[in-house]
Amino acid sequence: MIEFHLDTRSGVAPYLQVVHQVRQALRLGLLREGDQLPTVKDVVARLAINPNTVLKAYRELEHDGLAAARPGIGTFVTKTLSDASLAAHAGLRRELLRWFANARRAGLDDESIEALFRDCLRSASGEEVA
Amino acid sequence: MIRLTAREFRTQAIVALGALVIAAIVLAITGASLTHLYNATVANCKMNGDCSTATSLFLSTDSGVQGTLDFLMIVIPGLIGIFWGAPLLARELETGTYRLAWTQSVTRARWLAVKIGIVGVSSLLATGLLSLMVTWWFGPLDRVNMSIFGSFDQRDIVPIGYAAFAFALGVTCGAVLRRTLPAMATTLVGFVAVRLVIFAGVRPNLMAPLHRTVINTVIAHPTFTPDQGTLPANAWVLSDQTINAAGNVIGQNGSINGGTILSPGATGLTIQGVGTCPGIAPPTPGTGGVGPALQKCVDNLHIRDVLTYQPSGRYWPFQVYELAIFLTLALILVGLCFWWVRRRII
Amino acid sequence: MSAVLETSALAKRYGRRWALSDCTLKIPPGHVVGLVGPNGAGKTTLLHLAVGLLAPTSGAITVLGDRPAKGATQLGRVGFVAQETPLYAGLSVADHLHFGAWLNPGWDERLAQRRIEQIALDPRQRVRELSGGQRAQLALTLAVAKRPELLILDEPLASLDPLARREFLQNLMESVAEHQLSVVLSSHLVSDLERVCEYLIVLVSSHVQVAGEIEGLLASHHRLTGPRRDLGTLPASQEIIEATHTDRQSTLIVRTDQPILDPSWTVEQIGLEDLVLAYMGRAASIRGSRPAFLRVQP
């Protein structure tokens, strides 16, 4: 079971934050197929948000085929996003950390590192699409 | 709703019940000895030959208790109005709890009916029980005292009417003023005012009073009590006017306006403003020597006392009428209160 | 299903002062509705009209399809937590639960007990010994355990510290999730309502300024920044809520359902707080009869 959190200052709609957090957890392998998502009541009682926000997020997940509601029981994960690539995570993570260390040695601050990272990610995605 | 009101009213009810129980115990003990004393002294004073001493001694028995009871009977209806009636709605309105009470699944009218019903009926019961005990306790004394109208307000059923009225007045003041202390003060003033108006203005005329004309004995015997002794026992004398032969009022209570002045002269004794009694000298204080002669003269001059009074037989009709008046006033106030709470506090 | 709250030209006058005027609203069921406005705007008046503590001077109001406080049944369908959460200071927590049970045929004793345990209240404690947060929680328990269809709360958070606020809202939202309640709650702070409400009514100086689903409101309001220009040249579909100018630049908050095509504008999303403040500012400037919301800075 995972726990949600909410950042009201981010400007991102609360239901989208919930969706992102589920997707994130699926990617990182924290959630797997068959796992139960927190009940609406639990989420609401913890975050003090409107139940409809949670319902909307779960509907979105169902629509994406990531979760399914079992009436009277709860909402369950129906798909795993991490799959085989999860095994590669450890190595990639190590390499990335090393790269960050190099960048910092080269005098880049966090903001510059993030900008560079995003720029590279964007051009890499562009190349793939092209 | 009934249980709620019972819960809210619990403390006050316990206090009232406790006070009643204490009163009952005290009155039972002192009342029994009072009855015993009555039987021992007053009841057979004729055999012993000295009734006036026995009577006055008996009437001063337990004078502390007597005073306390008379005082309580006068103030308790007012206290009920001030401490049970006035806060009943005022406190809810003042502290805002009416917003809690009136948004439960009970209509405002029912809420009010139960509150007024329970506390109101308790008020009447408490006053009625106390009055019953006090009336019983005073029984022997009242029989001796021969002044049932003198303790009219403190005996039998009228205190119930006063309590009902005071309570309804308190509740209504609380509803209208919405604050406890002003409601209490207004209740006190209103209750006293209405009681005085009914006492002085209405009660003497509940039935047309009777009149009786008697011979004036006060002029000839200044030390005597007024001439009301000639009335049936327990009558309530509203006025005692001295009139002359022409039927004009010349004084009150057997005396002549400005004081009875007897001045001796050549022709005899002149009763100032009335006439002359030929051939008698003024009475010498203490001797009463001219008493009979002067009395004869007063009779000849046709000086009479006109007594206006309510006979003792009207005591119970008056109790019922006055109770009815106060209960009617109470009902009108309760009706006003319902209308106000349902239509005006909005 | 009928609207939870429907008013038409509703107005309430105290003496010569109008506390609420020309209020026309229709709130669909199943929402958590926020009623925002500065203190004295008429929020309490509107809510008291909805629970039948007040009667309208003119206009009409129906709650769940019926006249407010029409009878015991209608009273039972609406739960109310009044401002400053009035409770009987001398009575205990348990007394209040009895109070609720005795006065409400639909009373859910198990729910009440569970909630009292959950918020860790000692049933024997007298209300005058409770903290503001505990009082609010007890009042909420009383209102929820009568199992209403609509719950109305008047500034429930105003006197609570941040932790108590969060706990209160958690509890409230849990009840909403559990019992499918419709809720109307008022506050003078938008930040209180942002997380929990999906429908918003802005009430300023006795008039409803704007009402609607928050998502829709946020989607239809935009902040436009661009070179200074005459406001008369804007398309008719754009309603100006707020406009400020410097000698070079104009900044507008506009409401429109249509895309903004003019390329000279930089279009930005606005947050709920800014949206509400824009309406409050507009209402205040109209009331002050200052020449409009055109605050010109030289």
Side-chain angles (χ1 to χ4, degrees):
Chain A
M1 187 84 67
I2 58 164
E3 240 177 27
F4 297 117
H5 51 91
L6 201 63
D7 179 4
T8 42
R9 300 268 156 250
S10 70
V12 178
Y15 87 94
L16 276 180
Q17 294 191 36
V18 171
V19 171
H20 289 163
Q21 284 167 35
V22 171
R23 285 175 165 278
Q24 185 90 350
L26 286 168
R27 274 200 199 88
L28 296 175
L30 293 172
L31 278 176
R32 288 200 187 80
E33 193 175 335
D35 283 351
Q36 186 177 4
L37 294 176
T39 64
V40 173
K41 203 185 129 197
D42 287 344
V43 177
V44 152
R46 212 185 102 68
L47 296 184
I49 57 168
N50 193 305
N52 289 338
T53 306
V54 188
L55 286 170
K56 191 169 175 187
Y58 283 9
R59 267 201 305 274
E60 178 106 357
L61 291 167
E62 285 173 42
H63 185 257
D64 294 347
L66 297 177
R70 287 188 215 155
I73 309 172
T75 306
F76 291 83
V77 176
T78 53
K79 196 173 161 188
T80 308
L81 283 182
S82 54
D83 57 61
S85 71
L86 195 60
H89 273 205
L92 287 167
R93 188 185 166 85
R94 232 181 359 257
E95 276 177 50
L96 197 55
L97 283 173
R98 201 176 306 134
W99 182 83
F100 279 139
N102 285 336
R104 207 161 270 136
R105 259 199 302 280
L108 275 72
D109 60 7
D110 282 359
E111 209 171 315
S112 314
I113 294 173
E114 200 179 325
L116 186 60
F117 181 84
R118 281 186 190 283
D119 192 45
C120 287
L121 186 65
R122 205 175 302 130
S123 48
S125 320
E127 275 164 29
E128 261 172 45
V129 171
Chain B
M1 185 61 220
I2 293 170
R3 290 165 80 181
L4 170 72
T5 309
R7 172 62 189 89
E8 285 178 308
F9 186 57
R10 193 173 69 186
T11 317
Q12 286 141 294
I14 289 171
V15 169
L17 201 66
L20 275 177
V21 168
I22 291 169
I25 293 169
V26 171
L27 294 187
I29 294 168
T30 54
S33 65
L34 203 63
T35 309
H36 180 75
L37 187 66
Y38 175 82
N39 291 334
T41 60
V42 183
N44 45 24
C45 65
K46 291 228 171 62
M47 285 192 316
N48 303 334
D50 186 8
C51 265
S52 70
T53 312
T55 305
S56 64
L57 265 178
F58 178 65
L59 284 179
S60 61
T61 322
D62 284 338
S63 61
V65 182
Q66 288 191 38
T68 310
L69 289 181
D70 277 336
F71 176 72
L72 280 181
M73 289 310 294
I74 290 291
V75 299
I76 275 182
L79 292 180
I80 284 176
I82 292 168
F83 291 103
W84 288 7
L88 193 74
L89 300 183
R91 205 188 294 123
E92 299 259 4
L93 293 165
E94 194 171 47
T95 59
T97 46
Y98 73 99
R99 291 175 293 164
L100 179 65
W102 295 354
T103 49
Q104 307 303 311
S105 317
V106 168
T107 59
R108 223 182 277 187
R110 172 129 186 279
W111 178 86
L112 186 59
V114 172
K115 254 182 144 44
I116 288 184
I118 289 185
V119 185
V121 168
S122 306
S123 306
L124 304 196
L125 271 180
T127 317
L129 278 174
L130 184 67
S131 179
L132 190 70
M133 294 192 287
V134 168
T135 306
W136 169 80
W137 192 88
F138 268 107
L141 290 165
D142 287 346
R143 234 171 303 157
V144 174
N145 205 12
M146 289 294 183
S147 172
I148 50 172
F149 276 102
S151 52
F152 184 87
D153 311 57
Q154 294 116 291
R155 306 279 191 277
D156 298 309
I157 55 176
V158 285
I160 299 172
Y162 303 153
F165 170 70
F167 175 75
L169 183 66
V171 176
T172 310
C173 287
V176 174
L177 298 174
R178 310 188 68 151
R179 289 179 51 223
T180 309
L181 277 179
M184 286 174 150
T186 314
T187 306
L188 176 63
V189 172
F191 178 65
V192 170
V194 171
R195 279 274 277 118
L196 283 179
V197 166
I198 303 275
F199 168 76
V202 176
R203 190 190 300 164
N205 304 309
L206 281 173
M207 287 167 125
L210 302 181
H211 302 282
R212 177 179 290 193
T213 307
V214 297
I215 295 162
N216 183 306
T217 55
V218 173
I219 292 170
H221 307 279
T223 53
F224 275 28
T225 47
D227 308 306
Q228 297 152 16
T230 54
L231 285 178
N234 274 326
W236 177 25
V237 178
L238 303 175
S239 72
D240 177 354
Q241 292 176 319
T242 314
I243 59 167
N244 60 15
N248 298 323
V249 177
I250 55 168
Q252 303 291 330
N253 293 329
S255 303
I256 294 162
N257 283 337
T260 307
I261 298 167
L262 305 174
S263 41
T267 50
L269 189 69
T270 302
I271 307 172
Q272 201 149 322
V274 180
T276 307
C277 300
I280 48 172
T284 329
T287 63
V290 291
L294 184 56
Q295 183 65 54
K296 199 158 196 284
C297 169
V298 167
D299 293 349
N300 290 338
L301 287 168
H302 291 284
I303 299 173
R304 299 279 185 272
D305 279 0
V306 178
L307 301 172
T308 306
Y309 69 102
Q310 299 284 4
S312 62
R314 291 184 179 175
Y315 178 83
W316 274 104
F318 273 36
Q319 281 268 335
V320 172
Y321 289 160
E322 190 150 330
L323 176 67
I325 289 172
F326 277 94
L327 285 182
T328 308
L329 289 175
L331 281 178
I332 291 171
L333 283 173
V334 168
L336 179 70
C337 202
F338 267 86
W339 174 77
W340 188 272
V341 165
R342 292 184 63 193
R343 297 269 167 255
R344 296 290 306 173
I345 303 180
I346 49 174
Chain C
M1 209 172 158
S2 55
V4 287
L5 178 67
E6 190 168 2
T7 67
S8 71
L10 184 68
K12 176 70 188 176
R13 191 181 54 196
Y14 294 109
R16 298 179 64 188
R17 192 178 68 83
W18 288 94
L20 190 70
S21 27
D22 196 27
C23 171
T24 300
L25 283 173
K26 184 168 183 175
I27 303 175
H31 284 301
V32 178
V33 180
L35 176 62
V36 253
N39 291 327
K43 302 191 294 289
T44 297
T45 302
L46 177 59
L47 297 184
H48 278 195
L49 286 163
V51 296
L53 284 176
L54 291 175
T57 306
S58 63
I61 178 166
T62 57
V63 171
L64 302 166
D66 224 330
R67 189 168 59 78
K70 186 183 169 196
T73 317
Q74 174 72 1
L75 281 164
R77 296 171 72 198
V78 182
F80 182 53
V81 176
Q83 198 165 10
E84 283 139 17
T85 55
L87 295 166
Y88 295 97
L91 298 189
S92 68
V93 171
D95 285 331
H96 278 84
L97 295 190
H98 292 146
F99 165 96
W102 293 337
L103 295 192
N104 297 286
W107 183 258
D108 188 338
E109 180 65 25
R110 270 190 37 227
L111 170 71
Q113 292 296 346
R114 202 184 69 218
R115 292 184 52 97
I116 290 299
E117 269 170 45
Q118 200 179 335
I119 54 184
L121 279 183
D122 177 0
R124 285 162 305 177
Q125 214 166 2
R126 287 189 186 278
V127 160
R128 69 164 64 89
E129 297 156 4
L130 299 181
S131 70
Q134 289 173 315
R135 285 171 57 99
Q137 295 278 24
L138 177 57
L140 178 63
T141 301
L142 286 177
V144 169
K146 75 187 250 197
R147 300 299 301 272
E149 295 166 46
L150 167 65
L151 188 58
I152 296 180
L153 307 105
D154 191 2
E155 291 271 9
L157 306 170
S159 59
L160 305 187
D161 59 61
L163 181 63
R165 266 171 204 234
R166 175 57 66 88
E167 285 170 352
F168 185 88
L169 288 178
Q170 284 172 334
N171 235 322
L172 176 63
M173 287 304 117
E174 198 181 344
S175 303
V176 172
E178 221 175 328
H179 309 298
Q180 281 83 47
L181 289 169
S182 297
V183 177
V184 176
L185 82 159
S186 74
S187 176
H188 59 281
L189 296 174
V190 193
S191 51
D192 283 342
L193 307 176
E194 243 176 338
R195 293 169 87 95
V196 298
C197 294
E198 50 196 335
Y199 196 103
L200 193 75
I201 302 166
V202 179
L203 190 67
V204 184
S205 48
S206 88
H207 286 84
V208 174
Q209 305 297 323
V210 66
E213 288 195 42
I214 290 176
E215 211 169 296
L217 290 177
L218 290 177
S220 60
H221 287 76
H222 311 275
R223 178 181 284 118
L224 311 183
T225 347
R228 176 160 185 167
R229 57 186 286 181
D230 179 11
L231 298 178
T233 62
L234 288 175
S237 64
Q238 296 179 3
E239 185 194 352
I240 302 167
I241 310 302
E242 187 187 272
T244 53
H245 302 274
T246 65
D247 54 350
R248 301 254 177 96
Q249 198 184 39
S250 291
T251 306
L252 311 181
I253 291 176
V254 297
R255 177 180 195 169
T256 179
D257 294 324
Q258 279 153 35
I260 292 156
L261 302 168
D262 189 335
S264 62
W265 289 120
T266 307
V267 182
E268 282 177 301
Q269 287 289 319
I270 67 166
L272 194 61
E273 187 144 16
D274 287 346
L275 188 153
V276 170
L277 286 174
Y279 276 101
M280 285 186 183
R282 179 167 82 157
S285 63
I286 290 171
R287 186 168 56 162
S289 68
R290 274 180 276 137
F293 25 99
L294 301 169
R295 279 175 270 150
V296 179
Q297 295 164 358

